[in-house]
Coordinates of all heavy atoms in Angstrom, one line a residue:
W29 N 114.3 113.4 90.7 CA 113.1 113.9 91.4 C 113.6 115.3 92.0 O 114.1 115.3 93.1 CB 112.5 113.0 92.4 CG 111.2 113.5 93.0 CD1 110.5 114.6 92.6 CD2 110.4 112.9 94.0 NE1 109.4 114.7 93.3 CE2 109.3 113.7 94.2 CE3 110.6 111.7 94.8 CZ2 108.3 113.4 95.1 CZ3 109.7 111.4 95.7 CH2 108.5 112.2 95.9
L40 N 110.2 117.3 111.2 CA 108.9 116.9 111.7 C 108.9 115.4 111.8 O 108.9 114.7 110.7 CB 107.8 117.4 110.7 CG 106.4 117.0 111.1 CD1 106.0 117.6 112.4 CD2 105.5 117.5 109.9
P42 N 107.3 111.6 112.6 CA 106.0 111.0 112.5 C 105.2 111.1 113.8 O 104.0 111.4 113.8 CB 106.3 109.6 112.2 CG 107.6 109.6 111.4 CD 108.4 110.7 112.1
W45 N 103.5 114.4 113.9 CA 102.6 114.8 112.8 C 101.2 114.6 113.1 O 100.8 113.6 113.7 CB 103.0 113.9 111.6 CG 102.1 114.1 110.3 CD1 102.3 115.1 109.4 CD2 101.0 113.4 110.0 NE1 101.4 115.0 108.4 CE2 100.5 114.0 108.7 CE3 100.3 112.4 110.5 CZ2 99.4 113.5 108.1 CZ3 99.1 111.9 109.9 CH2 98.7 112.5 108.7
T46 N 100.3 115.5 112.7 CA 98.9 115.4 112.8 C 98.3 115.9 111.5 O 98.9 116.7 110.7 CB 98.3 116.2 113.9 OG1 98.7 117.6 113.8 CG2 98.8 115.7 115.3
F47 N 97.0 115.5 111.2 CA 96.3 115.9 110.1 C 94.8 116.2 110.5 O 94.2 115.4 111.1 CB 96.3 114.8 109.0 CG 95.5 115.2 107.8 CD1 95.9 116.2 106.9 CD2 94.3 114.5 107.5 CE1 95.2 116.5 105.8 CE2 93.6 114.8 106.3 CZ 94.0 115.8 105.5
W61 N 99.5 110.1 113.7 CA 100.2 109.1 112.8 C 99.5 107.7 112.9 O 99.2 107.1 111.9 CB 101.6 109.1 113.2 CG 102.5 108.3 112.2 CD1 103.2 107.1 112.5 CD2 102.9 108.8 110.9 NE1 103.9 106.8 111.4 CE2 103.8 107.8 110.4 CE3 102.6 109.9 110.2 CZ2 104.4 107.9 109.2 CZ3 103.2 110.0 108.9 CH2 104.1 109.0 108.4
A64 N 95.9 107.7 111.4 CA 95.9 107.8 110.0 C 96.3 106.5 109.4 O 95.7 106.0 108.4 CB 96.8 108.9 109.5
H65 N 97.2 105.8 110.0 CA 97.7 104.5 109.4 C 96.7 103.4 109.7 O 96.7 102.3 109.0 CB 99.0 104.1 110.1 CG 100.2 104.8 109.4 ND1 100.4 106.1 109.4 CD2 101.2 104.3 108.7 CE1 101.5 106.4 108.8 NE2 102.0 105.3 108.3
L67 N 93.6 103.7 108.9 CA 92.6 103.8 107.8 C 93.0 102.8 106.8 O 94.1 102.4 106.7 CB 92.6 105.2 107.2 CG 92.1 106.3 108.1 CD1 92.3 107.7 107.5 CD2 90.6 106.1 108.4
P68 N 92.0 102.4 105.9 CA 92.4 101.4 104.8 C 93.5 102.0 104.0 O 93.5 103.1 103.6 CB 91.1 101.3 104.1 CG 90.0 101.7 105.1 CD 90.6 102.7 105.9
G69 N 94.5 101.1 103.7 CA 95.6 101.6 102.9 C 95.2 101.8 101.4 O 94.3 101.1 100.9
S70 N 95.8 102.7 100.8 CA 95.5 103.0 99.4 C 96.8 103.5 98.7 O 97.6 104.1 99.4 CB 94.4 104.0 99.3 OG 94.1 104.3 97.9
A71 N 97.0 103.3 97.4 CA 98.2 103.7 96.8 C 97.8 104.4 95.4 O 96.8 104.1 94.8 CB 99.1 102.5 96.5
Y72 N 98.7 105.3 95.1 CA 98.6 105.9 93.7 C 99.8 105.4 92.9 O 101.0 105.5 93.4 CB 98.7 107.4 93.8 CG 98.9 108.0 92.4 CD1 97.9 108.0 91.4 CD2 100.1 108.6 92.0 CE1 98.0 108.5 90.2 CE2 100.3 109.1 90.7 CZ 99.3 109.0 89.8 OH 99.4 109.5 88.5
E73 N 99.5 104.8 91.7 CA 100.6 104.4 90.8 C 100.3 105.1 89.5 O 99.3 104.9 88.9 CB 100.6 102.9 90.6 CG 100.9 102.1 91.9 CD 101.0 100.7 91.7 OE1 101.4 100.2 90.6 OE2 100.7 99.9 92.6
I76 N 103.4 112.1 87.7 CA 103.3 113.3 88.4 C 103.9 114.4 87.5 O 104.9 114.1 86.7 CB 103.9 113.3 89.8 CG1 105.4 112.9 89.8 CG2 103.0 112.5 90.7 CD1 106.1 113.0 91.1
V87 N 105.4 106.4 89.1 CA 105.8 106.5 90.5 C 104.7 105.8 91.3 O 103.6 105.6 90.9 CB 106.0 107.9 90.9 CG1 107.1 108.6 90.1 CG2 104.6 108.7 90.8
R88 N 105.1 105.4 92.5 CA 104.1 104.8 93.4 C 104.2 105.5 94.8 O 105.2 105.5 95.5 CB 104.4 103.3 93.6 CG 103.3 102.6 94.4 CD 103.6 101.1 94.5 NE 102.4 100.4 95.0 CZ 102.1 100.3 96.3 NH1 102.8 101.0 97.2 NH2 101.0 99.6 96.7
F89 N 103.1 106.0 95.2 CA 102.9 106.6 96.6 C 101.9 105.7 97.4 O 100.9 105.3 96.9 CB 102.3 108.0 96.5 CG 103.3 109.0 96.0 CD1 103.3 109.4 94.6 CD2 104.2 109.7 96.8 CE1 104.2 110.3 94.1 CE2 105.1 110.6 96.3 CZ 105.1 111.0 95.0
G90 N 102.3 105.4 98.6 CA 101.4 104.7 99.5 C 100.9 105.5 100.7 O 101.7 106.4 101.2
G91 N 99.7 105.3 101.1 CA 99.1 106.0 102.2 C 97.7 105.7 102.4 O 97.3 104.5 102.4
A92 N 96.8 106.7 102.4 CA 95.4 106.5 102.5 C 94.7 107.5 101.6 O 95.1 108.6 101.4 CB 94.9 106.7 104.0
S93 N 93.6 107.0 101.0 CA 92.8 107.9 100.1 C 92.2 109.0 101.0 O 91.8 108.9 102.1 CB 91.7 107.1 99.5 OG 90.8 107.9 98.8
L94 N 92.3 110.2 100.4 CA 91.7 111.4 101.1 C 90.2 111.2 101.3 O 89.6 111.7 102.2 CB 91.9 112.6 100.2 CG 91.8 114.0 101.0 CD1 92.6 114.0 102.2 CD2 92.2 115.1 100.0
D95 N 89.5 110.3 100.5 CA 88.1 110.0 100.7 C 87.9 109.4 102.0 O 86.8 109.7 102.7 CB 87.6 109.1 99.6 CG 87.6 109.7 98.2 OD1 87.2 110.8 98.1 OD2 87.9 109.0 97.2
F97 N 89.4 110.1 104.9 CA 89.3 111.2 105.8 C 88.1 112.0 105.7 O 87.4 112.4 106.7 CB 90.6 112.1 105.7 CG 91.9 111.4 105.9 CD1 92.6 110.8 104.9 CD2 92.4 111.4 107.2 CE1 93.8 110.2 105.1 CE2 93.7 110.8 107.4 CZ 94.4 110.2 106.4
H115 N 102.4 121.9 107.8 CA 102.9 122.2 109.1 C 103.9 123.4 109.1 O 104.2 124.0 110.1 CB 103.6 121.0 109.7 CG 102.7 120.0 110.2 ND1 102.2 119.9 111.5 CD2 102.1 118.9 109.6 CE1 101.4 118.9 111.7 NE2 101.3 118.3 110.6
R131 N 90.8 110.6 93.7 CA 91.7 111.5 93.0 C 92.8 112.1 93.8 O 93.6 112.8 93.3 CB 90.9 112.6 92.3 CG 89.7 112.1 91.4 CD 89.1 113.3 90.7 NE 89.8 113.6 89.5 CZ 89.6 114.7 88.7 NH1 88.7 115.5 89.1 NH2 90.3 114.9 87.6
A132 N 92.8 111.8 95.1 CA 93.8 112.4 96.0 C 94.1 111.5 97.2 O 93.3 110.7 97.6 CB 93.4 113.8 96.5
W133 N 95.3 111.6 97.7 CA 95.8 110.8 98.8 C 96.6 111.6 99.8 O 97.2 112.6 99.5 CB 96.8 109.7 98.3 CG 96.1 108.7 97.4 CD1 95.7 107.4 97.8 CD2 95.7 108.8 96.0 NE1 95.2 106.8 96.7 CE2 95.1 107.6 95.6 CE3 95.9 109.8 95.1 CZ2 94.7 107.4 94.3 CZ3 95.4 109.6 93.8 CH2 94.8 108.4 93.4
I134 N 96.6 111.1 101.1 CA 97.6 111.5 102.0 C 98.7 110.3 102.0 O 98.4 109.2 102.3 CB 97.1 111.6 103.5 CG1 96.0 112.7 103.5 CG2 98.2 112.0 104.4 CD1 96.4 114.1 103.1
A135 N 99.9 110.7 101.5 CA 100.9 109.7 101.3 C 102.1 109.8 102.2 O 102.5 110.9 102.5 CB 101.4 109.8 99.8
W136 N 102.5 108.7 102.8 CA 103.7 108.6 103.6 C 104.7 107.6 103.2 O 105.7 107.4 103.8 CB 103.2 108.3 105.1 CG 102.2 107.2 105.2 CD1 102.4 105.8 105.0 CD2 100.8 107.4 105.5 NE1 101.2 105.2 105.2 CE2 100.2 106.1 105.5 CE3 100.0 108.5 105.8 CZ2 98.9 105.9 105.8 CZ3 98.7 108.3 106.0 CH2 98.1 107.0 106.0
E137 N 104.5 107.0 102.0 CA 105.5 106.2 101.4 C 105.7 106.5 99.9 O 104.8 107.0 99.3 CB 105.0 104.7 101.4 CG 105.0 104.1 102.8 CD 104.5 102.6 102.8 OE1 104.2 102.1 101.6 OE2 104.5 102.0 103.8
Y138 N 106.9 106.3 99.5 CA 107.3 106.5 98.1 C 108.1 105.3 97.7 O 109.1 105.0 98.3 CB 108.1 107.8 97.9 CG 108.5 108.0 96.4 CD1 107.6 108.3 95.4 CD2 109.9 107.8 96.1 CE1 108.0 108.5 94.1 CE2 110.3 108.0 94.8 CZ 109.4 108.3 93.8 OH 109.8 108.5 92.5
E139 N 107.6 104.6 96.7 CA 108.3 103.4 96.2 C 108.6 102.4 97.3 O 109.6 101.8 97.4 CB 109.6 103.7 95.4 CG 109.4 104.7 94.3 CD 108.6 104.1 93.1 OE1 108.3 102.9 93.1 OE2 108.1 104.9 92.2
G140 N 107.6 102.3 98.2 CA 107.7 101.3 99.3 C 108.5 101.7 100.5 O 108.6 100.9 101.4
K141 N 109.0 102.9 100.5 CA 109.8 103.4 101.6 C 109.2 104.6 102.2 O 108.4 105.3 101.5 CB 111.3 103.6 101.1 CG 112.0 102.4 100.6 CD 113.4 102.7 100.2 CE 114.1 101.5 99.6 NZ 115.5 101.8 99.1
P142 N 109.6 105.0 103.4 CA 109.1 106.2 104.0 C 109.4 107.4 103.1 O 110.5 107.5 102.6 CB 109.8 106.3 105.4 CG 110.1 104.9 105.7 CD 110.4 104.2 104.4
L143 N 108.4 108.3 103.0 CA 108.5 109.5 102.1 C 109.6 110.4 102.7 O 109.6 110.8 103.9 CB 107.2 110.2 102.1 CG 107.1 111.5 101.2 CD1 107.3 111.1 99.7 CD2 105.8 112.2 101.4
P144 N 110.7 110.7 101.9 CA 111.8 111.5 102.4 C 111.3 112.9 102.8 O 110.3 113.5 102.2 CB 112.7 111.6 101.2 CG 112.4 110.4 100.4 CD 110.9 110.2 100.5
A145 N 111.9 113.5 103.8 CA 111.5 114.8 104.3 C 111.6 115.9 103.3 O 110.7 116.7 103.2 CB 112.4 115.2 105.5
H147 N 110.9 115.7 100.3 CA 109.8 115.5 99.3 C 108.4 115.5 100.1 O 107.4 115.1 99.5 CB 109.9 114.2 98.5 CG 111.0 114.3 97.5 ND1 111.1 115.2 96.5 CD2 112.2 113.6 97.4 CE1 112.1 115.0 95.8 NE2 112.8 114.1 96.3
G148 N 108.4 116.0 101.3 CA 107.2 116.2 102.0 C 106.9 115.3 103.2 O 105.9 115.4 103.8
G149 N 107.9 114.4 103.5 CA 107.7 113.4 104.6 C 107.7 114.2 105.9 O 108.3 115.2 106.0
P150 N 107.0 113.6 106.9 CA 106.5 112.3 106.9 C 105.2 112.0 106.1 O 105.0 110.9 105.8 CB 106.2 112.0 108.4 CG 105.9 113.4 109.0 CD 106.8 114.3 108.2
A151 N 104.5 113.0 105.7 CA 103.3 112.8 104.9 C 103.0 114.1 104.1 O 103.1 115.2 104.6 CB 102.1 112.4 105.8
R152 N 102.5 113.8 102.9 CA 102.1 114.9 102.0 C 100.8 114.6 101.3 O 100.4 113.5 101.2 CB 103.2 115.2 101.0 CG 103.3 114.2 99.9 CD 104.4 114.5 98.8 NE 104.0 115.7 98.1 CZ 104.9 116.4 97.4 NH1 106.2 116.0 97.3 NH2 104.5 117.5 96.7
L153 N 100.2 115.7 100.8 CA 99.0 115.5 99.9 C 99.5 115.1 98.5 O 100.5 115.7 98.1 CB 98.3 116.8 99.9 CG 97.0 116.9 99.0 CD1 95.9 116.0 99.5 CD2 96.5 118.4 99.0
I154 N 98.8 114.2 97.9 CA 99.1 113.9 96.5 C 97.8 114.1 95.7 O 96.8 113.5 95.9 CB 99.5 112.4 96.4 CG1 100.8 112.1 97.2 CG2 99.7 112.0 94.9 CD1 102.0 112.8 96.6
V155 N 97.9 115.0 94.7 CA 96.8 115.3 93.8 C 97.4 115.2 92.4 O 97.7 116.2 91.8 CB 96.1 116.7 94.0 CG1 94.9 116.8 93.2 CG2 95.9 116.9 95.5
P156 N 97.6 114.0 91.9 CA 98.5 113.8 90.8 C 98.0 114.3 89.4 O 98.8 114.5 88.5 CB 98.7 112.3 90.7 CG 97.5 111.7 91.4 CD 97.2 112.7 92.5
F160 N 102.2 119.8 90.5 CA 102.5 119.2 91.8 C 102.6 120.2 93.0 O 102.7 119.9 94.1 CB 103.8 118.4 91.7 CG 103.8 117.1 92.5 CD1 102.8 116.3 92.4 CD2 104.9 116.8 93.3 CE1 102.8 115.1 93.1 CE2 104.9 115.6 94.0 CZ 103.9 114.8 93.9
K162 N 100.2 121.8 93.9 CA 98.9 121.5 94.6 C 99.0 120.4 95.6 O 98.2 120.2 96.5 CB 97.8 121.2 93.6 CG 97.5 122.4 92.7 CD 96.8 123.5 93.4 CE 96.3 124.6 92.5 NZ 95.6 125.6 93.2
S163 N 100.1 119.5 95.5 CA 100.3 118.4 96.4 C 101.1 118.8 97.6 O 102.3 118.5 97.6 CB 100.9 117.2 95.6 OG 100.1 116.7 94.6
A164 N 100.5 119.5 98.5 CA 101.2 120.2 99.6 C 102.1 119.2 100.4 O 101.6 118.2 100.9 CB 100.2 120.9 100.5
K165 N 103.4 119.6 100.5 CA 104.3 118.9 101.4 C 103.9 119.1 102.8 O 103.3 120.1 103.2 CB 105.7 119.3 101.1 CG 106.3 119.0 99.7 CD 107.7 119.5 99.7 CE 108.3 119.3 98.4 NZ 109.8 119.7 98.3
W166 N 104.4 118.1 103.7 CA 104.2 118.2 105.2 C 102.8 118.6 105.5 O 102.5 119.5 106.4 CB 105.2 119.3 105.7 CG 106.6 119.1 105.1 CD1 107.4 118.0 105.2 CD2 107.3 120.0 104.3 NE1 108.6 118.2 104.5 CE2 108.5 119.4 103.9 CE3 107.0 121.3 103.8 CZ2 109.5 120.0 103.1 CZ3 108.0 121.9 103.0 CH2 109.2 121.3 102.7
I167 N 101.9 117.9 104.9 CA 100.4 118.3 105.0 C 100.0 118.3 106.5 O 100.3 117.3 107.2 CB 99.6 117.4 104.2 CG1 98.1 117.8 104.1 CG2 99.7 115.9 104.6 CD1 97.9 119.1 103.4
A168 N 99.3 119.3 106.9 CA 98.7 119.4 108.3 C 97.2 119.4 108.3 O 96.6 119.0 109.3 CB 99.2 120.7 108.9
L170 N 93.1 120.2 106.0 CA 92.3 120.8 105.0 C 91.2 121.6 105.7 O 90.6 121.1 106.7 CB 91.6 119.7 104.1 CG 92.5 118.7 103.3 CD1 91.6 117.7 102.7 CD2 93.3 119.5 102.3

Side-chain angles (χ1 to χ4, degrees):
W29 187 2
L40 180 62
W45 178 86
T46 58
F47 177 69
W61 190 249
H65 280 64
L67 294 171
S70 181
Y72 169 71
E73 298 185 31
I76 56 175
V87 299
R88 187 181 193 280
F89 289 94
S93 171
L94 199 51
D95 292 320
F97 295 93
H115 283 271
R131 305 185 83 189
W133 291 260
I134 300 299
W136 42 75
E137 291 182 356
Y138 177 72
E139 303 297 346
K141 298 179 180 179
L143 183 66
H147 289 299
R152 72 177 296 162
L153 177 63
I154 298 293
V155 190
F160 221 47
K162 294 292 187 176
S163 296
K165 295 181 177 183
W166 315 298
I167 189 69
L170 299 176

